[in-house]
Amino acid sequence: MIPAEFEYYRPKDMAGVLSLLEEHGDDARVMAGGHSLIPMMKLRMADVPHLIDLQDVGGLSNIEINSDSIHIGALVTQSDIVEHAGLADVAPILREAALQIADPQVRYMGTIGGNVANGDPGNDMPGLMQCLDAVFTVAGADGERQIPARDFYEAAYMTAREDDEVLTSVTIAHPQGGYAYEKQKRKIGDYATAAAAVQITKEGGTCVSASIAMTNLSDTPVYSEAAGAALVGTSLNDAALSAAIAAMWGDIDPTEDNRGPIAFKNHVAGVILRRALERAWSRA
Amino acid sequence: MVSFTVNGVSQDVDVPLGRRLSHVLREELNLRGTKVGCDSGDCGACTVLVDGDAICACLTPVAQVAGRAVETVEGLAKTGPTALQKAFLRHGATQCGICTPGMVMAAEALLRCNTKPDRAAVETALGGVLCRCTGYTKIIDAVLDAAGRGTGPEPSAGCAVGARVERLDGAAKVMGNEAFGADVVEKSALIIRAVRSPYAAASFAFGNLEQWAEARGVRVFTAKDIPGINCFGVIERFADQPALAETNARMAGEAVALVAGSEDVMAALSFEDFPVIWTVKDPHLSLKDAAASGAAVLHKSRGDNQLIAGVVKRGDVKVALAEAAHVVEGSLRTGHVEHAYIEPEAGLAWMEGDVLNIRACTQAPVLDRDSTAKVLGLPVERVRIRPAATGGGFGAKLDLSVQPLLGLVTLLTGQPSKMVFTRSESMVASTKRHPAQMHAQVGADVDGQLVGMVFDGDFDTGAYASWGPTVAVRVPVHASGPYVVPNYSAEARAIHTNGPVSGAFRGFGVPQAAALQEQLFDQLADQIGMDRLAFRQKNALRDGVTTVCGQALSGVGIGACLQALQSRWDAALISVAGFNASTEGKARGVGVASCWYGCGNTALPNPSTMRIGISAEGTICLHQGAMDIGQGANTVIAQLAADALGVPVHQIKLIDADTAVTPDCGKTSASRQTVVSGKAAVLAATALRAKILQMANMGSEAEISLSGGVLTLIEGVARRDISLRQLPQAAYGYVLWAEETYDPPTEVLDENGQGAPYAVYGYGAQLAEVEVDLALGTVKVLKVTAAHDLGKVINPLLAEGQIEGGIAQGLGMALMEEFHPGKTENLHDYLIPTIGDVPEVVSHLIEVPDPEGPMGAKGLGEHVLIPTAPAILNAIRHATGAVLTQLPARPDRVLAAIQAAMS
């Protein structure tokens, strides 16, 4: 049964969305593809008397590739990311990660906006966005503001977005160097036991920069600045990899569940990160 | 108002805009081909196309499709099955059929943009649709061959047995018009929802129910309203389960009250303020809690919380093990496993005169009738069970679910009622595979001949008896595996806890026991220094040699099954060694395991009755009361009957199970339908043939044909035509008919479990090849080669489907499935294998005829699951040295076992 009755709105523009949010405050929720929100509502994890569907709001469904940045509207689906002609050339890690999300049915409906805004620690895109140092644009009554992905996540389902704001787009500088999105899951379509997003650049045989973020190992995605720093100036030899992994361990805080005990999750996080780094380095 | 097109037709629906598309399609537009299995985007049964993309209709508010084009399974087949749907039939890609519309739509979306997909593309496109029956192999085959033409064979008279006949009941499944429990339409029906205990152990008292109900315009029913005996069970002697708990809830999810009202009221109703006051008690959540000295007992008559113990003893095992040259021992713990059929329990009840009619999913119509009548205080003649198509069962739909609840509301109100379990309700309320804690010791002599085995196991049977007694009795009979074990002592106990009720699940405890026994056999072979397959072959049961129950068997096929694996075994050992020598970080291994399984009840009567008749118009009707839950009884039993009668199988019309019109064929359980009901069908058809031959005064070799109301018999040059219209009506609307009963001959077991527990056994062995990631502990099953002795292969297409499906379930049990009440009551936290998780399966169908089975046939349905988990465990050990002591072999457990093996 779908949770009880709720009011459904489909405003034609962002002004309409924002005025509904202002009117209903905490009782309203915006929805893109609905594939995060609807299951939560069904399980009564979210009680939403007023549901605002974004799909008629223009300008949220585009992928724009500019000379130095990529702009992805909130309504762009995972499937759009997978199939976009030019995106994989400039940011192949997006496609690599999107293909590891759920299954085709979900990828057709599930959006970037929903995946990053929802705050579910199991979602793949938030960690990836932290790795890419993406900036989220949110619209509110006072206009737009930009929030870096690395500052966006506060706790499970708690983000820097205010209740009366809408996440409208994601902006990413063209990623540089080698990349990898490595995910360990229990079966096809599962959330990660651990996942690592890595972008890495090198000059000669030396690492110039490394950006590392981990998924489903804390109640938020974890951007591990220290893990990246441990690699800069190294040749990603075994000692450097071990140092980066140790630094990453200092930043994550997994809990025991059906995916395994804490020690196992730390272990898997280490293995996954090592593999991601090795793969990214080979592509750098 | 929302406007969109469905299958090309404009629709304007006036519903709340947030209502899900799945609900709107089914309830507003009456397009019930779109199924709802989980209602939260996990199973994909509701897959439809929106502007050509495959999406989950259950996650899509209808307003989101405004102005868009929706396509459902009903839109594909305008005049008959499409090429894709025909391919599903031709390849046996549909079993129960509940996932089939979703699979077909997902495949349709793929094929429109990729007319020649490869296997990887098919796996990706169908990755979001779960199937619990087929193991996916035949679905992949069907999609890859969607452009192929033709249909399966339509064999001529006498040639049905052995032919790859398509399912006779398959067209409705692939076209989406099969009616499952939730698909039965009755707009006036009261909708029932159950109030369930949130606690594993609690007493409770109700507040003012009348006031609560009146304020909401609904009716409430409790145990006090039950007119009969509020106590049912699948085995009458152990009946202990109330339809609605009276004052005590013994498990989380136990129903304590029913609320019934109109659809609109019920959809919005919250139970948050339902007037019930709980007094929570300390539950027994584990075998250890329940068996602790002084532990409170769940049922007064069962001290120590022990429901029953089963024992088999033969020879002197103490002496044998003391004198054995080689002895190994080990333990294994397993968890709750959920059946996870894609169709949650559902049904409808209504009155016809003073007869209560119930149409619901089930594996056991007559048992449903008798138990429901008992609970409702009705004579059995006043209850008629007319089963709906059943979307998978695997054992859990043997127990009552919605039947007594529907019956109570309809009987007391006189109104039709409908109840559809939610996914989580299905998972909390249905039975599970028994968690087991087992220990065993096995010994062999210097030559590798088994000399003795001790097995001891506790099986967590949960809050109520259900099939606990069957598990406790069956396990000691089977725990030796299909081997010669001259000295043997096995005991299995069913212990009550406040966990979910553990009942029947494909194998009745034997898969758990085999997972331990077969692992120990590998260790023993290694200790002796023998090849593991050769060790099994050396000790395999043979004709005339007695089993651990002292039964001498004929038609024993285990040796032939092991032999069939030899060439792959040899090749796989070489290829694995090569891989391991050249690869770091990963290791491959090969494992083998056997199974045997007695078909039907253990040393108890187990009859089936079949009726076959010919009408004056010339229709041959088979009253096929053996529930087809996807396994194929409708087709296989018709094939047997057709050949026994001597007519083409496609000339037989099936009369589906219905307690008013089909004789009792017992339960679809214990792999008994082909053997027991199949033999009854052979006997009935043979009797009918004899009547016809006698009437025509023809010899036994005469050929019978039927056309246009005329039976023609030809023998040599002699020919007789019988005009059926000129014959007098005999009975049941037939001019010619016969009915026969078959009950397999068994012997009661003595106090040491000695006797003849089953008349027919089936045998099998499987070889698993796995790859283990040594750093992560993940296991990928690469290939399973299966050899199963069916005695006589009645339908190879359906037999392969059983094997592939059983392997997928066995793989789930081995690697990922673990039910925890309160934590895994949905299909994203409870994992079952997807299309991408199952290996390539190669099946060898072995025919060592059984002297008792129909045309030599043996059962198969449960056998196929038993060897999979131990074969995988043995392959993991072969790859890594890791010995698993707990199932499932989750990555963390595998990794810990690898580390333990290295240290």
Side-chain angles (χ1 to χ4, degrees):
Chain A
M1 285 285 131
I2 198 153
E5 297 303 324
F6 52 82
E7 292 296 323
Y8 174 92
Y9 309 89
R10 202 156 139 181
K12 300 285 182 202
D13 54 30
M14 190 51 70
V17 175
L18 294 174
S19 74
L20 284 165
L21 280 174
E22 191 175 4
E23 184 182 345
H24 299 294
D26 202 18
D27 282 345
R29 206 65 78 82
V30 299
M31 179 181 80
H35 275 35
S36 297
L37 189 60
I38 298 284
M40 284 173 68
M41 290 167 68
K42 192 185 92 68
L43 297 170
R44 299 196 186 258
M45 283 166 65
D47 191 11
V48 185
H50 301 278
L51 194 61
I52 307 167
D53 190 337
L54 293 180
Q55 72 169 305
D56 282 354
V57 177
L60 299 181
S61 302
N62 299 329
I63 297 174
E64 292 166 24
I65 302 175
N66 305 316
S67 59
D68 58 354
S69 69
I70 302 161
H71 184 80
I72 302 173
L75 293 190
V76 168
T77 64
Q78 313 294 352
S79 170
D80 294 336
I81 299 267
V82 170
E83 286 164 19
H84 191 274
L87 190 60
D89 295 334
V90 288
I93 194 171
L94 288 170
R95 184 171 194 271
E96 182 164 298
L99 279 171
Q100 298 189 57
I101 295 175
D103 51 60
Q105 284 91 321
V106 170
R107 295 199 288 267
Y108 280 126
M109 293 299 282
T111 61
I112 289 288
N115 198 279
V116 301
N118 170 267
D120 184 336
N123 284 353
D124 289 283
M125 285 292 164
L128 177 59
M129 292 304 155
Q130 291 194 336
C131 167
L132 297 176
D133 199 13
V135 174
F136 301 154
T137 300
V138 298
D142 302 329
E144 292 188 340
R145 65 185 180 116
Q146 264 73 42
I147 310 173
R150 293 175 187 173
D151 299 335
F152 190 74
Y153 299 97
E154 295 168 348
Y157 304 103
M158 303 276 286
T159 67
R161 183 187 59 82
E162 300 296 332
D163 286 339
D164 59 356
E165 291 179 316
V166 179
L167 191 149
T168 56
S169 69
V170 172
T171 306
I172 306 164
H174 285 192
Q176 301 298 315
Y179 68 93
Y181 191 78
E182 190 81 28
K183 180 175 179 180
Q184 209 272 66
K185 50 194 175 183
R186 297 169 300 172
K187 67 156 197 172
I188 311 294
D190 190 21
Y191 288 116
T193 300
V198 170
Q199 284 283 160
I200 198 158
T201 59
K202 69 176 165 189
E203 266 178 35
T206 304
C207 172
V208 176
S209 70
S211 179
I212 293 167
M214 307 298 292
T215 291
N216 220 11
L217 293 159
S218 289
D219 65 349
T220 64
V222 173
Y223 169 66
S224 182
E225 191 175 1
L231 298 170
V232 175
T234 75
S235 61
L236 258 74
N237 56 15
D238 195 56
L241 291 174
S242 296
I245 289 164
M248 176 274 291
W249 279 334
D251 288 337
I252 62 172
D253 183 20
T255 52
E256 173 160 4
D257 58 22
N258 293 343
R259 291 178 173 82
I262 292 170
F264 175 74
K265 289 191 170 182
N266 277 317
H267 168 81
V268 172
V271 174
I272 288 295
L273 178 54
R274 182 178 291 268
R275 289 181 184 179
L277 288 169
E278 286 170 348
R279 202 146 53 87
W281 185 248
S282 74
R283 288 164 163 173
Chain B
M1 185 78 80
V2 185
S3 302
F4 52 102
T5 70
V6 180
N7 301 326
V9 179
S10 297
Q11 299 285 356
D12 304 304
V13 292
D14 189 11
V15 294
L17 297 172
R19 193 152 283 177
R20 294 164 192 237
L21 178 59
S22 50
H23 190 267
V24 171
L25 290 170
R26 290 175 53 82
E27 304 303 328
E28 302 294 327
L29 302 178
N30 204 23
L31 295 169
R32 289 185 168 74
T34 300
K35 306 300 177 190
V36 175
C38 70
D39 219 15
S40 45
D42 298 315
C43 76
C46 66
T47 298
V48 298
L49 308 190
V50 174
D51 292 343
D53 290 341
I55 60 118
C56 289
C58 79
L59 287 188
T60 306
V62 66
Q64 285 200 316
V65 302
R68 302 170 78 177
V70 177
E71 292 173 80
T72 69
V73 68
E74 291 90 345
L76 295 185
K78 299 277 195 261
T79 54
T82 62
L84 172 63
Q85 288 166 324
K86 282 183 183 165
F88 265 61
L89 290 171
R90 187 166 68 247
H91 286 278
T94 184
Q95 287 189 21
C96 83
I98 192 80
C99 77
T100 308
M103 285 289 182
V104 166
M105 295 313 288
E108 176 75 17
L110 169 70
L111 292 167
R112 283 187 195 172
C113 51
N114 182 355
T115 52
K116 288 242 158 100
D118 60 12
R119 187 183 167 104
V122 174
E123 285 185 8
T124 300
L126 272 53
V129 191
L130 296 176
C131 170
R132 191 60 156 168
C133 295
T134 65
Y136 302 102
T137 299
K138 298 218 175 298
I139 293 172
I140 296 169
D141 291 346
V143 180
L144 291 174
D145 183 38
R149 303 228 165 262
T151 55
E154 297 200 357
S156 54
C159 300
V161 169
R164 296 177 77 87
V165 176
E166 289 177 6
R167 296 188 69 95
L168 299 179
D169 55 4
K173 295 175 194 283
V174 298
M175 291 169 70
N177 42 34
E178 182 80 289
F180 296 88
D183 301 332
V184 188
V185 184
E186 177 49 67
K187 282 287 172 196
S188 69
L190 294 169
I191 301 298
I192 306 175
R193 284 168 55 197
V195 179
R196 296 182 181 276
S197 172
Y199 306 105
S203 60
F204 61 89
F206 293 116
N208 192 334
L209 294 172
E210 214 165 291
Q211 193 181 23
W212 186 89
E214 203 165 301
R216 287 157 184 79
V218 296
R219 287 191 62 175
V220 174
F221 302 85
T222 68
K224 284 187 179 157
D225 298 304
I226 291 177
I229 299 165
N230 186 19
C231 178
F232 69 86
V234 289
I235 306 167
E236 189 54 40
R237 185 155 70 90
F238 296 97
D240 60 1
Q241 189 165 357
L244 293 170
E246 292 174 355
T247 56
N248 248 323
R250 294 184 176 90
M251 59 179 271
E254 181 159 15
V256 301
L258 299 178
V259 181
S262 69
E263 191 174 347
D264 286 349
V265 171
M266 293 302 294
L269 192 65
S270 165
F271 287 171
E272 265 171 33
D273 53 1
F274 188 83
V276 57
I277 295 155
W278 302 97
T279 305
V280 182
K281 302 183 197 171
D282 278 341
H284 300 322
L285 293 179
S286 66
L287 286 164
K288 207 174 137 197
D289 293 348
S293 71
V297 294
L298 271 82
H299 298 276
K300 276 183 199 149
S301 60
R302 296 170 190 157
D304 300 336
N305 288 313
Q306 181 170 313
L307 168 64
I308 188 176
V311 174
V312 172
K313 283 185 178 160
R314 184 164 185 81
D316 190 336
V317 74
K318 270 191 185 156
V319 171
L321 289 178
E323 293 175 355
H326 302 278
V327 177
V328 296
E329 66 181 307
S331 299
L332 183 67
R333 188 148 70 95
T334 70
H336 285 109
V337 185
E338 155 70 21
H339 299 69
Y341 27 73
I342 306 302
E343 182 209 22
E345 293 79 351
L348 182 83
W350 69 98
M351 298 299 296
E352 282 182 12
D354 69 348
V355 175
L356 172 67
N357 284 252
I358 297 175
R359 189 166 168 80
C361 55
T362 182
Q363 295 178 236
V366 174
L367 184 63
D368 289 350
R369 179 195 66 185
D370 295 354
S371 299
T372 302
K374 178 187 171 193
V375 169
L376 299 179
L378 296 172
V380 293
E381 300 77 32
R382 285 192 55 201
V383 179
R384 179 176 178 183
I385 303 289
R386 309 165 82 163
T390 296
F394 317 114
K397 288 177 183 170
L398 288 163
D399 295 61
L400 288 181
S401 60
V402 295
Q403 293 86 357
L405 311 180
L406 289 165
L408 179 66
V409 171
T410 288
L411 189 67
L412 296 187
T413 63
Q415 282 183 262
S417 66
K418 183 169 184 174
M419 188 169 197
V420 179
F421 281 4
T422 64
R423 169 52 54 185
S424 62
E425 192 174 23
S426 172
M427 291 179 83
V428 296
S430 68
T431 61
K432 304 285 169 279
R433 181 181 296 287
H434 283 71
Q437 173 69 60
M438 302 166 291
H439 183 85
Q441 207 177 7
V442 193
D445 67 16
V446 284
D447 300 324
Q449 197 76 53
L450 285 166
V451 294
M453 175 174 176
V454 176
F455 174 93
D456 185 82
D458 283 321
F459 289 75
D460 174 353
T461 207
Y464 296 101
S466 181
W467 295 92
T470 307
V471 167
V473 171
R474 197 174 255 279
V475 165
V477 172
H478 288 84
S480 63
Y483 302 102
V484 183
V485 184
N487 301 287
Y488 182 73
S489 172
E491 180 169 328
R493 294 168 295 275
I495 308 290
H496 283 299
T497 66
N498 294 107
V501 178
S502 296
F505 190 170
R506 219 168 181 174
F508 284 103
V510 178
Q512 295 95 306
L516 174 59
Q517 165 258 317
E518 289 286 340
Q519 284 192 87
L520 292 178
F521 276 29
D522 259 30
Q523 293 170 29
L524 192 55
D526 284 355
Q527 198 185 103
I528 298 162
M530 273 182 86
D531 173 81
R532 295 171 289 150
L533 182 61
F535 173 75
R536 286 174 169 80
Q537 188 66 275
K538 181 182 180 80
N539 288 287
L541 272 175
R542 298 178 299 279
D543 277 16
V545 179
T546 51
T547 69
V548 291
C549 293
Q551 186 179 11
L553 301 176
S554 302
V556 178
I558 183 60
C561 291
L562 291 166
Q563 183 57 41
L565 298 181
Q566 186 73 49
S567 64
R568 183 64 211 164
W569 176 255
D570 295 339
L573 286 174
I574 292 167
S575 86
V576 157
F579 178 89
N580 291 344
S582 63
T583 311
E584 273 185 35
K586 288 179 177 172
R588 289 189 178 175
V590 190
V592 64
S594 304
C595 75
W596 69 326
Y597 193 80
C599 304
N601 288 349
T602 311
L604 289 170
N606 199 199
S608 279
T609 303
M610 281 280 172
R611 183 187 306 149
I612 185 166
I614 305 177
S615 70
E617 294 72 39
T619 306
I620 308 170
C621 296
L622 179 65
H623 291 242
Q624 206 296 86
M627 274 306 294
D628 192 324
I629 57 172
Q631 88 282 24
N634 279 339
T635 307
V636 166
I637 292 174
Q639 285 175 269
L640 286 165
D643 278 11
L645 180 57
V647 298
V649 64
H650 289 86
Q651 216 167 8
I652 289 191
K653 181 185 173 194
L654 290 168
I655 307 290
D656 291 338
D658 175 336
T659 56
V661 296
T662 52
D664 186 0
C665 279
K667 302 172 286 282
T668 292
S669 75
S671 306
R672 61 175 290 284
Q673 291 297 22
T674 297
V675 173
V676 183
S677 298
K679 181 133 181 177
V682 168
L683 294 175
T686 304
L688 180 59
R689 179 178 171 87
K691 271 190 194 178
I692 293 167
L693 295 175
Q694 189 183 21
M695 178 180 282
N697 200 20
M698 288 281 211
S700 62
E701 298 305 310
E703 283 177 20
I704 297 179
S705 61
L706 177 62
S707 178
V710 177
L711 260 181
T712 301
L713 290 93
I714 295 175
E715 190 178 23
V717 291
R719 173 183 174 126
R720 278 286 310 273
D721 290 312
I722 301 173
S723 173
L724 295 166
R725 283 191 192 81
Q726 288 171 5
L727 298 179
Q729 284 287 328
Y732 304 112
Y734 300 121
V735 291
L736 288 162
W737 70 285
E739 183 174 300
E740 291 290 332
T741 297
Y742 171 69
D743 191 5
T746 60
E747 273 174 29
V748 177
L749 299 178
D750 68 15
E751 72 277 8
N752 287 320
Q754 298 297 297
Y758 311 101
V760 176
Y761 294 75
Y763 308 87
Q766 293 175 7
L767 188 166
E769 295 165 58
V770 308
E771 183 175 297
V772 183
D773 183 319
L774 297 171
L776 292 173
T778 50
V779 176
K780 172 87 183 154
V781 183
L782 304 171
K783 180 171 182 171
V784 174
T785 309
H788 285 273
D789 169 26
L790 292 78
K792 175 74 185 171
V793 181
I794 297 163
N795 187 324
L797 183 68
L798 302 188
E800 289 161 8
Q802 285 299 295
I803 293 170
E804 291 156 8
I807 286 169
Q809 287 185 0
L811 183 149
M813 176 186 162
L815 298 180
M816 62 177 80
E817 299 193 31
E818 195 169 29
F819 179 82
H820 294 282
K823 292 182 184 166
T824 58
E825 291 157 2
N826 58 64
L827 291 175
H828 57 266
D829 291 313
Y830 187 82
L831 308 178
I832 65 171
T834 69
I835 201 167
D837 298 305
V838 297
E840 177 195 359
V841 175
V842 175
S843 294
H844 298 281
L845 306 181
I846 307 295
E847 293 186 314
V848 178
D850 188 278
E852 182 66 29
M855 305 190 183
K858 302 166 182 173
L860 179 69
E862 284 159 292
H863 310 67
V864 293
L865 180 143
I866 297 168
T868 311
I872 291 170
L873 293 172
N874 285 341
I876 293 171
R877 179 172 166 275
H878 181 233
T880 65
V883 176
L884 272 299
T885 56
Q886 187 176 2
L887 287 186
R890 299 190 323 203
D892 56 308
R893 293 176 185 151
V894 172
L895 192 67
I898 292 172
Q899 284 160 354
M902 288 191 313
S903 65

